[in-house]
């Protein structure tokens, strides 16, 4: 990406100060969001989300595995993010690894909750097949196909849509098996369980440019940012995770203000996203 | 195992000389100079082209023609069993080289001296015929970027199972252990730019299988030309010409 000139820099910052961005949006307005589900038929669930020119794909794969020793009554979920070179030539080879790791960690904190599993958007107990022996492992993979800023919000939305699209096969445990031996399981080809995604949060990223902060920053606006805060909010209005980016420090009162603004913005985003997911699922069924 | 039934139908219901459904979309990545999505059945590939632009690594610059670089990558979720591997494994490197050489043969590199053209190919879903789909996607992306080319490059695979030549193998047929021929041609110039084959095959049957793959390549070329023509008409409409 070619750097911005001084005039462009002033134009962007001046526009944000006057609540009129380069593409005509206000400070707290998202770009148009479109959701498509079932884009990768080989996975258990998948979704593609476009926010303006940012384009991401998320998929969910479920495999049977062994529960962790620390939590034998809970399944496991992990998130991996990959930055495709198609998004930006700088991502060639290992160029995208650093950003991918940063996004992975942020999403892990925002969506999966603490180590105990509390606050996770997914009820991990529902992933147990046989306690201590067999559970479902969910692998959530995100792929950045096109990058024009605000990857974290787009990935969060895509993961929520992919989980809503996910079907996990029903598993029958063979009766009469000795308690000590490894149980035999029969994975159904026809019956699928669906997730309750009402508790999965959305991520709102507020980017500070000059003396104001904006949501859904484009690449150019992100290049002018001093710092950013990503706040994960669920439908009940609870904060599920906070991540700060950028090197410049923030005044604590500004952070609290950002959190309340994010909570307000997330209401519209959740409603918009839920309706988009519902219509995408309806489109897929027809 | 039986791959062709006595009635002449394959596992997925196709005839031996029938291709999987092809679908293509131009302009999938808005920030790239050219981009395309190409689907062959369940194989889904996205390609992006950046360039011609300044050479990033000065030591690689060529004074008489353009430097063509290519990177091929598979998404973690693209195969039936999930895999976790980094870029640059042996298979990815080999396919990157194959795509680069194939594209170099058709790009008029002498018109763009001291510049660099980057082709990035990402596999979203793999179900056999991946490198053919990658080459087709890259061709569409190069055309979308307006890079001067001698001809479109199209690619198709063919195989030989149960004493029957088969066109456009899917994953199950590819895994059957029979011969697999991947062919890339310049359809109007009628030249072969890519030919790869594994397993054993008598030479007279190889000719039949190659001929079948050539027919497949030409069919794909017709489809790609239709897509590009429709795209051009759309652009013409938007410009109000």
């Amino acid at each position: 990406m070619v750097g911005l000139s001084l005039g462009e820099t002033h134009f962007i910052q001046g526009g944000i100060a006057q609540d009129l961005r380069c593409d005509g949006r206000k400070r707290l307005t998202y770009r148009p969001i479109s959701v498509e589900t079932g884009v990768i038929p080989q996975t258990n669930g998948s979704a593609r989300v476009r926010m303006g020119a940012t384009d991401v794909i998320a998929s969910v794969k479920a495999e049977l595995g062994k529960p962790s020793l620390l939590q034998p009554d809970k399944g496991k979920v992990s998130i991996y993010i990959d930055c495709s070179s198609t998004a930006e030539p700088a991502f060639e080879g290992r160029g995208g690894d650093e950003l991918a790791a940063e996004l992975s960690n942020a999403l892990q904190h925002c969506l999966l909750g603490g180590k105990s599993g509390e606050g996770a958007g997914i009820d991990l107990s529902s992933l147990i097949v046989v306690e201590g022996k067999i559970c479902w492992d969910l692998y959530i993979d995100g792929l950045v196909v096109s990058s024009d800023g605000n990857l974290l919000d787009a990935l969060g939305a895509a993961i929520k849509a992919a989980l809503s699209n996910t079907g996990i096969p029903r598993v029958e445990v063979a009766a009469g098996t000795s308690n000590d031996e490894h149980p035999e399981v029969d994975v159904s080809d026809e019956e699928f369980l669906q997730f309750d995604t009402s508790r999965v949060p959305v991520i709102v990223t507020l980017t500070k440019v000059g003396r104001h902060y904006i949501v859904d920053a484009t690449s150019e606006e992100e290049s002018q940012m001093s710092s950013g805060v990503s706040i994960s909010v669920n439908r009940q209005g609870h904060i599920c995770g906070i991540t700060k980016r950028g090197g410049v420090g923030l005044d604590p009162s500004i952070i609290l203000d950002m959190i309340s603004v994010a909570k307000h913005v997330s209401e519209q985003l959740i409603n918009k996203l839920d309706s988009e997911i519902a219509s995408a699922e309806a489109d897929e069924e027809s | 195992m039986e791959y062709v039934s006595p009635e002449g139908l394959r596992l997925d219901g196709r005839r031996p000389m029938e291709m999987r459904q092809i679908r293509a979309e131009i302009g999938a990545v808005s920030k790239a100079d050219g981009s395309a999505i190409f689907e062959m059945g369940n194989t889904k590939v996205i390609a992006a082209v950046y360039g011609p632009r300044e050479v990033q690594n000065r030591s690689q610059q060529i004074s008489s023609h353009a430097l063509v670089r290519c990177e091929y990558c598979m998404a973690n979720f693209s195969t039936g069993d999930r895999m976790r591997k980094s870029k640059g494994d042996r298979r990815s490197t080999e396919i990157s080289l194959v795509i680069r050489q194939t594209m170099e043969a058709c790009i008029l590199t002498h018109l763009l001296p001291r510049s660099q053209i980057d082709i990035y190919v990402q596999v979203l879903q793999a179900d056999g015929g991946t490198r053919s789909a990658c080459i087709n996607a890259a061709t569409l992306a190069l055309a979308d970027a307006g890079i001067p080319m001698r001809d479109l490059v199209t690619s198709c695979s063919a195989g030989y199972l149960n004493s029957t030549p088969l066109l456009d193998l899917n994953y199950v047929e590819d895994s059957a252990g029979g011969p697999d021929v991947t062919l890339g041609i310049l359809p109007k110039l009628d030249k072969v730019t890519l030919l790869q084959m594994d397993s054993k095959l008598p030479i007279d049957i190889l000719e039949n299988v190659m001929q079948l793959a050539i027919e497949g390549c030409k069919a794909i070329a017709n489809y790609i030309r239709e897509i590009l023509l429709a795209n051009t008409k759309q652009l013409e409409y938007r410009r109000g010409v």
Side-chain angles (χ1 to χ4, degrees):
Chain A
M1 176 176 178
V2 187
L4 301 178
S5 72
L6 197 60
E8 283 170 314
T9 295
H10 285 162
F11 186 79
I12 290 174
Q13 290 176 357
I16 288 170
Q18 295 184 42
D19 205 13
L20 181 62
R21 298 207 248 168
C22 289
D23 48 16
R25 285 185 288 149
K26 294 185 178 302
R27 282 194 284 259
L28 301 182
T29 306
Y30 271 83
R31 285 172 286 182
I33 301 172
S34 81
V35 177
E36 204 181 329
T37 54
V39 293
I40 312 286
Q42 282 182 157
T43 60
N44 293 88
S46 60
R48 181 179 184 180
V49 166
R50 271 173 266 226
M51 269 188 194
T54 293
D55 191 343
V56 298
I57 295 176
S59 86
V60 180
K61 285 216 174 190
E63 290 177 12
L64 287 173
K66 196 176 163 68
S68 154
L69 288 180
L70 297 177
Q71 285 139 33
D73 60 332
K74 288 184 163 66
K76 285 143 53 189
V77 183
S78 35
I79 298 184
Y80 300 97
I81 304 297
D82 203 1
C83 294
S84 173
S85 310
T86 59
E88 199 147 330
F91 294 158
E92 184 176 353
R94 302 198 187 275
D97 282 2
E98 189 177 314
L99 176 61
E102 187 188 341
L103 291 168
S104 285
N105 287 331
L107 286 160
Q108 198 105 11
H109 291 145
C110 288
L111 297 181
L112 297 190
K115 290 194 194 301
S116 67
E118 284 302 315
I122 304 163
D123 180 20
L124 298 181
S125 304
S126 67
L127 298 175
I128 274 291
V129 177
V130 179
E131 181 165 336
K133 290 193 170 70
I134 303 180
C135 72
W136 282 109
D137 289 345
L138 285 200
Y139 297 99
I140 301 178
D141 286 295
L143 180 72
V144 178
V145 172
S146 182
S147 163
D148 188 28
N150 203 27
L151 293 174
L152 204 53
D153 295 25
L155 283 163
I159 288 171
K160 185 178 166 79
L163 286 170
S164 150
N165 181 246
T166 296
I168 290 188
R170 182 182 298 275
V171 181
E172 299 287 342
V173 183
T177 308
S178 166
N179 199 41
D180 292 336
E181 293 176 8
H182 200 266
E184 287 183 25
V185 294
D186 179 29
V187 181
S188 167
D189 281 342
E190 292 170 7
E191 288 184 61
F192 290 94
L193 307 176
Q194 295 241 280
F195 273 117
D196 174 25
T197 54
S198 60
R199 291 200 298 142
V200 178
V202 296
I203 301 174
V204 177
T205 298
L206 293 164
T207 305
K208 194 156 190 297
V209 178
R211 291 217 249 98
H212 305 268
Y213 38 82
I214 58 177
V215 301
D216 194 15
T218 62
S219 292
E220 290 169 348
E221 287 159 347
E222 274 183 357
S223 68
Q224 298 309 304
M225 84 174 190
S226 49
S227 58
V229 176
S230 297
I231 295 134
S232 166
V233 192
N234 67 11
R235 185 171 270 285
Q236 288 80 38
H238 296 161
I239 308 292
C240 303
I242 299 179
T243 303
K244 180 187 171 293
R245 292 154 47 222
V248 177
L250 278 173
D251 196 89
S253 61
I254 291 183
I255 294 186
L256 294 179
D257 194 24
M258 279 166 140
I259 292 173
S260 73
V261 167
K263 187 171 167 179
H264 179 73
V265 169
S266 71
E267 285 165 21
Q268 307 161 37
L269 181 60
I270 287 175
N271 292 332
K272 165 77 170 171
L273 207 53
D274 283 348
S275 66
E276 285 283 334
I277 292 171
S279 65
E281 296 273 26
D283 281 351
E284 192 195 350
E285 279 162 20
S286 65
Chain B
M1 189 177 176
E2 193 175 56
Y3 296 95
V4 185
S5 70
E7 294 82 23
L9 296 180
R10 294 204 241 170
L11 291 173
D12 49 11
R14 287 186 282 150
R15 298 283 173 183
M17 283 176 274
E18 197 176 332
M19 290 196 71
R20 290 176 289 179
Q21 186 183 36
I22 303 173
R23 193 179 308 140
E25 180 188 327
I26 287 181
V29 180
S30 46
K31 291 187 60 168
D33 294 312
S35 60
I37 289 183
F38 198 84
E39 296 179 36
M40 293 174 81
N42 259 345
T43 299
K44 193 167 177 174
V45 172
I46 184 168
V49 168
Y50 292 84
R53 60 191 189 124
E54 188 179 354
V55 176
Q56 303 294 297
N57 193 342
R58 197 51 60 93
S59 65
Q60 291 180 339
Q61 180 176 292
I62 308 167
S63 59
S64 57
H65 54 274
L67 168 71
V68 179
R69 302 170 77 244
C70 178
E71 183 181 278
Y72 163 94
C73 192
M74 285 184 99
N76 293 332
F77 50 79
S78 60
T79 50
D81 295 319
R82 187 186 179 276
M83 71 204 175
R84 178 76 197 171
K85 59 160 186 48
S86 60
K87 296 173 179 176
D89 67 319
R90 191 190 293 122
R91 184 174 173 273
S92 297
T93 303
E94 186 253 326
I95 298 183
S96 298
L97 185 61
V98 161
I99 298 173
R100 177 163 77 78
Q101 288 174 343
T102 308
M103 291 306 141
E104 262 180 350
C106 83
I107 297 174
L108 297 167
T109 50
H110 65 277
L111 299 182
L112 311 157
R114 284 181 295 274
S115 65
Q116 174 176 316
I117 298 168
D118 290 315
I119 304 169
Y120 299 116
V121 189
Q122 176 85 43
V123 177
L124 299 180
Q125 192 165 238
D127 189 42
T130 308
R131 65 190 69 193
S132 295
C134 289
I135 288 166
N136 297 326
T139 288
L140 264 174
L142 286 168
D144 185 38
I147 307 252
M149 296 192 284
R150 288 182 180 85
D151 198 351
L152 302 170
V153 186
T154 55
S155 178
C156 191
S157 65
Y160 189 76
L161 291 171
N162 291 161
S163 306
T164 309
L166 303 177
L167 177 64
D168 194 18
L169 305 176
N170 63 22
Y171 175 74
V172 176
E173 291 159 346
D174 211 346
S175 310
D180 182 4
V181 178
T182 301
L183 195 87
I185 67 165
L186 303 169
K188 277 199 182 301
L189 304 178
D190 214 18
K191 290 183 175 175
V192 172
T193 61
L194 166 68
L195 177 56
Q196 287 184 325
M197 186 244 163
D198 51 68
S199 276
K200 298 180 286 183
L201 201 57
I203 195 166
D204 48 324
I205 297 180
L206 173 63
E207 286 170 25
N208 292 337
V209 174
M210 264 189 71
Q211 195 58 43
L212 190 57
I214 289 174
E215 296 303 317
C217 290
K218 290 182 175 174
I220 295 176
N222 289 335
Y223 176 76
I224 285 182
R225 233 171 252 120
E226 280 172 25
I227 292 285
L228 290 171
L229 201 55
N231 188 60
T232 306
K233 284 178 178 173
Q234 190 73 21
L235 290 174
E236 183 182 348
Y237 173 78
R238 276 194 223 119
R239 289 188 61 209
V241 172

